[in-house]
Structure formats: C-alpha cells, structure tokens
Amino acid sequence: MTVSGRAISSRAKKQGRFGQMGMLGAIAREFNYVTSMLSVLKKIGKVGPGSGLRVPDHIEATVDRFPDRPMAILDEGEISYRQFDAFANRVANWALEQGLKPGDTVALFMTNRWEYIAVWFGLSKVGIVTSLINSQLSGHSLAHCLTIGETRHAIVEGALSEAYDAARSCDLGDIRAWSFDGGFSDAEGLDDVLAGMSDSRPERALREAVVPGDPVLKMFTSGTTGLPKAALMTHVRALYYLNIFALIAKAAPEDRMMMVLPLYHATGGLCGVGCALSFGGALVIRPRFSASAFWPDVQRFKATLFMYVGELCRFLVNSDPVPEEAGHTLRCAIGNGMRRDVWDAFQARFDVPDIVEFYGSTEGNVGLVNAYNQPGAVGRVPGYLKSRFNIDLVKFDLDSEMPLRTTEGRCVPCEPGEVGEAIGRIDPSDARFRFDGYGSQEDTEKKVLRDVYEPGDAWFRTGDLMSRDKLGYYYFVDRVGDTFRWKSENVATGEVAEAFSFKGIEQANVYGVEVAGHSGRAGMAALVTEGAKALDLDALHAHVHDSLPAFARPLFLRLQQQTDTTGTFKFRKVDLVKDGFDPARVDDTILLDHPGEGRYVPMTPQLYEAIQSGSLRV
C-alpha cells in the first residue's frame, strides 16, 4: 500500500501562513525570499569548492581577525582565539612527531569541552582526519566505531577510560591510546606531551596535498536501529555546515552560542560551532543538556544563539517555569526536529524572536532551511527554483518499505499534499549534491536509489517521509519504518506523539506492535511521566480520543521512568517493539485502551492472552 497524504498528514495539506496573501503581498514575499537566498548563496560561495579553502584555512582566518576575542566562555573564565589556536598548534605538532601523515585517522573520544574542537582543528592543520566518537558508547559499540574508522591513534579523556577499557576486550587491534585530562592503564599521557610541544602554527605547505574534496572528519550515524555507520565529512561539506547557519542567523562577533548538544555530532559540532567560529563569536559549551539549568545559564553567560534538537525544546516546554526564562538574551534558535506543537508552545512561552529549522543528515546530500519562521516547516523550495535544488518526493510503498515503481520501473513524484520519501539527486560534480557514503561500500549502496526517473540516474534515499504544500514548504512526517498500518490506514508516529502534549507527560515515543490475528501493527506509546499521580488517565483518554481518529489512537501505553535515546535525543524503538505489550516481558506498567470499558486499564496476563487468542477483539 502506498503512502498518501490522506491518512498521515492533514496539516501538511494546508498552505503556509502566506497562502491567503494578495498579489502584491505574494510578489513582495517572493522578492524577499529570492534576494535573501541569493545573498546567502553569494556568501557561501566564498567557501565553496572553487575557493580552494580547507577547514583549517577558514578557522585560522577567524583566529587572525579576532585573536583576543573569547572563543569559549567557561565557568572558570574565557579562552581567547589566540589560546585556542596555540593549543591546536601543539596538537598538530604532536601529530607530526608521531609520524602521522595526511589522510591518517586519529579517534577522539572526549566529552563536551573547548579542547574537543581544538584537537580536531589542530589535526586538520596537518591533514589528519579525526574520527569523532560518541562519548556515550562503551564495549562492543565503541570498539565497532574505533575499528571501522581505521584508527591509528585514539585520544581518550580520562573520565571515559572505563568505557574505553571495556572496548579493549573486543579486540581493538593496533590502536595506540593517549589519555587526556586523567591517565589510565596502557595509555600514554597526552597532557605532558602537549605541554612540551611548540605552539607555533605549522606551515600550510604540510597540508598542500589535501584538497577540499578530501575528508577532514569521520562522523557516525546515530545508530537508532543498529550499530553506527561511519560517514565521511569532506572539507567542502564541513565548510558549508560551519557557515550556512551562521549566515542565516546573521552571526556576529558579539554573539554567544549556547552549546548543549554533543560535539561529536554535526548539528552541534559543526553547525552550532560554526555560528561562533566563522565570525569571531564565542561558544558557551556545557557538558550536557539540563532543562533546569538552561535558562539560568542563558542569563549567566548572556547567550544570544541556541542550537537545538526537537526533543530538547519539548523538555524545556514541559519544564517548570523559572524566573530566568523571562527577559533573556536569546535572539535565535537553530536546529532540527521541532514539531509544530512544540514550536507554537516554545515561541509563546519563551518569546525567542527567530527559529531557524533545518533538515539534513550527517551523511546525506539533501539540505533544507526554514529561515522564515514558518511553523512546522523544515524548508522551502518554490516551484520556479526547483531545478536549483536536488530534493524531490516520491510515492512510497509501506508494505515493501521502498519507493513505488510504475510498470516501466520508474518512481512516481508526489503532488502537493501527498506524502512520500524525500530523495536527493546525486551529482558528484557538485559538492552540495555529492554522496560521499560510509566506510562500508555495502552500507553506501543501500542508500542509493537508481533509475528513478531515467536510466542511470542515482538518488540518495533519506529514509524520511515528507510532504510539501503549494508554496513549496516541506514538512517532515516520519521516518521510514516508523510509519505503520493499522486497520488499513497509515499511521505516522510523529503526528500521534503530538497528541500526547498533555499535562503530566514529558515524552511520548510512539511505535507499532504486532497483535495476533491482525494485519499491520497496533499503535503503542511509551510515555515518560512526571509520576503516576500527576497523570489523569481518564482525562488523557478523552484527550487522545478527541485528538486522533480511531485507527491512529495507540491501543497500548507503556509508562516509563525514562526513555532510551541517542546522544542527539532521537528515540530508540527496536527493543520497545520487541517487548510489545506482553506484561511478562517488562517491569513497566502497560495500559490497554479497553474497547469495552472506554478507558485505560492495566494490562494483565489474562487480558494479554485474551487479546492474543482473539477472544477480546481490539
């Protein structure tokens, strides 16, 4: 069965807020859109492939312009751009002393701190590729990232030594470990070695062999459904990330970026970092996100910019009010994954003037930016500029989890209001539209869709379902695999989760589970609540039934103390799907939307058996 807009996204069929404007208003809107876009494109072209720039060239230029301005603002004081560059130079000279050559890989396993950026910046000065490892990993998954990253040396923060030791038992091969800020067994101390290194900037000739299309970083997918995959980040791609959002946000030396996202991920570590490093601004790097500390930190450090992911904003909206959330200095929030319900509540409560929502992935070749505060949209491509972008939406078959093909073997483009998978045309000659792939050729090929509209063409599969309206605004609907069918209708987990914006619920993770005797999957929602007494189940039942059609209402609820997420706050659902609604498999409370009683009731072994045997029809 193909995915259409009928059952998944009624909102996506609506035009944007400009839809009712008159002719003059529409002309003014398009004029402003085109001129602002051309201005950004002109500026971003200065760091494009034709510029010959590499990442260290770009950052060194910022250092030379603003040597005495703060690069990072810490609890203990400030780190100037001059100090930042000196540290990076010592790292570069250490790499040379180890005999490392351009193209070699060094793994970085470290928590959020300013030195994190200085290490990979320093390594890039002499052409070394840094593999940015998720600081939450341990054991087998950590060993997997280290080994597929072709690592020769690993820089490991002392606080993470236990996790690294656990990975050693999984056969890391010939990797030389260096401890930073705290030693551990079988690792060489890096602190003392760096202290003895020259802080003079290495000659640019040492990286002359590195071209903008070469990798500067290896980053990893979030691993929501399995082990992470290594994605190559070229200098050109990294430069786009470092600059594009800074340009859209009109970043200036006076700006201070509140950084609570992990630095090993592109959203925080490049897009957010670039809002400071590209124009001489400062980073306020916090070790992790804390809803209770966020607004006090904004006030204390006078932050003006904020990098988010959607669930992080949901946490803030659901948090208790604090005095510091009023009269703050934030002027712009930049990020991705903010649902419409959170967007409206976030702006209404916190009065942040601008929200820049974007769409993209670490490895993908599709990028969109909504720079016009259009609630819920991830970007815009007006029809008259479609040829300048590589994105398209194609109709999707839920049963095969593949794009639909005609009898001639071609994919079918979506009309406005229809839901389909977003794909990006691959063009190796255009740095914006390349797909550099993963460390594994097999993994790379799985993401390529061939012969889409004509023989021989190739498109990147985003794995995301979207729709677009008549004005060209794109709206994220769901991940492929998250959307499921129940009672012959398509259900989008993201839209169902929005219906659980309800007093007492902090998070809602929606997924489909198999029920014996039924085709498709029934909806189930894992809820993180403020406490059983804080959740009025009868009122919630009425709210869900008012908000969702019958086929989309989750049949089961699972009440959790906390949910399992990636380091970038993406939900992990694999284990939840496996557990299903069997009370014998989990310790959490499971509730059934009982069809006979019209309320949520606790799932018992007897009820479970009745559902599975078919004696209780759901």
Side-chain angles (χ1 to χ4, degrees):
M1 182 64 66
T2 59
V3 175
S4 69
R6 182 173 64 88
I8 287 190
S9 183
S10 58
R11 180 183 306 116
K13 295 180 180 180
K14 298 177 182 178
Q15 289 190 356
R17 59 177 173 167
F18 301 114
Q20 304 302 318
M21 296 177 69
M23 179 65 72
L24 291 178
I27 293 173
R29 177 198 65 214
E30 298 308 311
F31 177 79
N32 290 334
Y33 172 83
V34 172
T35 53
S36 62
M37 187 184 70
L38 289 176
S39 175
V40 170
L41 290 176
K42 180 180 179 180
K43 293 175 181 176
I44 200 71
K46 295 180 180 179
V47 296
S51 69
L53 277 179
R54 293 147 300 193
V55 168
D57 306 331
H58 174 66
I59 300 178
E60 285 181 349
T62 301
V63 170
D64 293 341
R65 287 179 64 198
F66 307 102
D68 298 315
R69 288 197 64 84
M71 169 268 175
I73 302 175
L74 318 175
D75 291 320
E76 303 81 13
E78 298 180 352
I79 300 297
S80 70
Y81 274 94
R82 191 189 308 277
Q83 291 170 304
F84 167 65
D85 191 51
F87 186 97
N89 293 336
R90 290 194 289 272
V91 172
N93 289 317
W94 164 81
L96 293 174
E97 189 170 278
Q98 302 313 309
L100 290 167
K101 298 178 176 59
D104 287 343
T105 298
V106 172
L108 182 57
F109 189 47
M110 188 182 288
T111 60
N112 271 23
R113 51 196 301 165
W114 71 270
E115 295 97 336
Y116 190 100
I117 306 162
V119 168
W120 67 250
F121 170 41
L123 293 172
S124 74
K125 287 171 176 270
V126 290
I128 309 302
V129 180
T130 309
S131 184
L132 306 184
I133 309 294
N134 184 336
S135 58
Q136 299 186 63
L137 298 182
S138 182
H140 175 59
S141 55
L142 174 56
H144 168 78
C145 290
L146 289 167
T147 53
I148 67 170
E150 301 175 336
T151 301
R152 293 187 56 190
H153 296 256
I155 298 173
V156 182
E157 185 176 340
L160 301 176
S161 60
E162 188 174 327
Y164 189 80
D165 281 337
R168 283 174 163 168
S169 63
C170 303
D171 187 18
L172 291 181
D174 187 22
I175 296 179
R176 191 174 176 184
W178 296 80
S179 63
F180 178 83
D181 196 14
F184 59 98
S185 61
D186 299 324
E188 301 177 60
L190 185 60
D191 303 80
D192 291 341
V193 175
L194 289 182
M197 289 290 158
S198 168
D199 60 8
S200 297
R201 185 178 289 178
E203 295 293 329
R204 286 183 62 150
L206 292 170
R207 58 178 182 262
E208 282 305 311
V210 178
V211 299
D214 287 340
V216 61
L217 299 170
K218 292 179 182 176
M219 307 182 99
F220 293 83
T221 61
S222 298
T224 55
T225 58
L227 290 170
K229 296 187 287 290
L232 301 177
M233 182 68 63
T234 65
H235 286 265
V236 169
R237 189 177 181 83
L239 285 168
Y240 279 135
Y241 282 6
L242 287 167
N243 282 272
I244 187 70
F245 302 102
L247 290 169
I248 291 171
K250 297 180 173 60
E254 297 75 24
D255 277 310
R256 297 182 172 192
M257 165 60 76
M258 175 63 71
M259 180 52 59
V260 297
L261 296 180
L263 293 173
Y264 58 75
H265 194 269
T267 301
L270 287 176
C271 303
V273 164
C275 288
L277 295 195
S278 290
F279 293 94
L283 289 164
V284 180
I285 301 174
R286 310 311 291 158
R288 65 189 62 84
F289 170 71
S290 167
S292 61
F294 180 80
W295 291 110
D297 280 347
V298 168
Q299 292 280 20
R300 183 158 59 106
F301 295 107
K302 303 301 181 187
T304 59
L305 304 174
F306 161 48
M307 207 76 192
Y308 69 81
V309 292
E311 282 307 304
L312 188 153
C313 295
R314 188 182 294 276
F315 294 152
L316 291 173
V317 167
N318 290 335
S319 64
D320 293 331
V322 294
E324 292 86 355
E325 69 186 58
H328 59 76
T329 52
L330 283 184
R331 65 174 184 82
C332 184
I334 310 161
N336 58 14
M338 193 187 300
R339 291 282 182 175
R340 173 65 183 269
D341 62 320
V342 176
W343 186 307
D344 292 337
F346 187 85
Q347 279 206 309
R349 176 173 168 180
F350 302 123
D351 193 28
V352 175
D354 290 309
I355 294 178
V356 175
E357 172 81 6
F358 69 88
Y359 171 82
S361 63
T362 302
E363 74 278 21
N365 71 343
V366 175
L368 295 170
V369 181
N370 171 14
Y372 300 94
N373 276 309
Q374 174 73 359
V378 298
R380 184 179 181 227
V381 179
Y384 57 84
L385 289 177
K386 188 176 179 181
S387 62
R388 301 291 300 271
F389 293 80
N390 71 328
I391 188 174
D392 206 356
L393 304 182
V394 291
K395 293 186 179 181
F396 187 77
D397 185 354
L398 272 179
D399 295 329
S400 66
E401 293 196 348
M402 289 293 292
L404 182 70
R405 298 273 186 171
T406 66
T407 55
E408 290 78 25
R410 301 291 177 253
C411 294
V412 183
C414 292
E415 297 296 325
E418 292 185 325
V419 175
E421 183 177 359
I423 59 175
R425 176 173 47 81
I426 298 172
D427 183 355
S429 65
D430 190 326
R432 298 172 301 162
F433 303 149
R434 286 174 51 175
F435 173 45
D436 296 302
Y438 307 103
S440 161
Q441 183 59 37
E442 180 182 358
D443 288 336
T444 298
E445 192 57 33
K446 287 179 182 177
K447 295 292 286 185
V448 179
L449 193 65
R450 300 189 183 280
D451 303 324
V452 173
Y453 295 133
E454 57 188 32
D457 65 355
W459 295 66
F460 171 77
R461 290 193 64 190
T462 66
D464 292 321
L465 299 177
M466 295 188 191
S467 68
R468 63 174 165 237
D469 62 22
K470 291 181 179 179
L471 289 177
Y473 281 103
Y474 281 73
Y475 299 86
F476 177 85
V477 175
D478 224 336
R479 287 288 298 166
V480 167
D482 284 350
T483 296
F484 58 88
R485 289 182 62 76
W486 179 244
K487 298 193 182 295
S488 300
E489 297 283 2
N490 304 324
V491 181
T493 61
E495 292 196 350
V496 175
E498 289 184 21
F500 283 88
S501 294
F502 187 80
K503 183 179 180 181
I505 297 176
E506 296 180 346
Q507 290 176 277
N509 186 3
V510 179
Y511 49 97
V513 294
E514 293 183 355
V515 179
H518 291 268
S519 60
R521 291 181 288 161
M524 188 165 184
L527 306 178
V528 176
T529 67
E530 298 172 358
K533 294 182 180 179
L535 188 60
D536 186 334
L537 290 174
D538 290 337
L540 175 64
H541 186 274
H543 170 75
V544 169
H545 278 243
D546 286 343
S547 303
L548 295 169
F551 66 85
R553 298 168 194 153
L555 190 58
F556 309 102
L557 304 182
R558 178 173 174 172
L559 306 185
Q560 296 183 297
Q561 295 298 313
Q562 61 183 27
T563 192
D564 189 18
T565 62
T566 69
T568 50
F569 302 95
K570 295 178 182 176
F571 289 125
R572 289 191 175 98
K573 305 186 182 186
V574 175
D575 290 338
L576 293 172
V577 171
K578 289 179 181 177
D579 289 343
F581 58 97
D582 184 354
R585 289 181 64 103
V586 296
D587 295 328
D588 298 327
T589 297
I590 296 178
L591 302 173
L592 166 69
D593 187 352
H594 199 291
E597 299 190 25
R599 63 189 180 94
Y600 294 122
V601 302
M603 177 65 67
T604 63
Q606 293 77 22
L607 269 178
Y608 177 79
E609 179 57 34
I611 294 170
Q612 293 294 69
S613 67
S615 61
L616 176 62
R617 299 296 296 174
V618 293

